[in-house]
Amino acid sequence: AEVRAEFESSYRQVLRAIEDTAEADLPRSGLFEAWDDIPLWQFFSVLTWQHYEMHHQPIRTWLEGLDAG
């Protein structure tokens, strides 16, 4: 339950950040020191669907193991 609550909280934070971003700011880069060379829209994609694509299958496999166990 705690992991789910943390997920929901982080999801709301990312969604709020995306919704609060002006469309004109999306192509800007240099907003984050560690991600200096990528535009803001790409930063958001890394935090959302690209991150999901990287981890969803291992998590599904783990969850299926829990259901079977």
Side-chain angles (χ1 to χ4, degrees), residues 6-7 9-10 15 18-20 26 32 42 51-52 55-56 59 61 64-65:
E6 287 182 35
F7 166 77
S9 175
S10 65
L15 185 60
I18 292 170
E19 290 174 339
D20 290 347
L26 292 175
F32 303 98
Q42 192 172 7
H51 189 85
Y52 172 83
H55 297 291
H56 84 277
I59 291 171
T61 301
E64 288 169 3

Side-chain angles (χ1 to χ4, degrees), residues 1 11 14-15 17-18 20-22 26-28 39 44 47-49 56-57 60-61 67:
Y11 173 79
V14 170
L15 185 60
I18 292 170
D20 290 347
T21 300
L26 292 175
R28 292 181 55 207
F44 284 143
L47 289 179
T48 56
W49 68 269
H56 84 277
Q57 191 55 52
R60 280 189 196 276
T61 301
D67 288 341

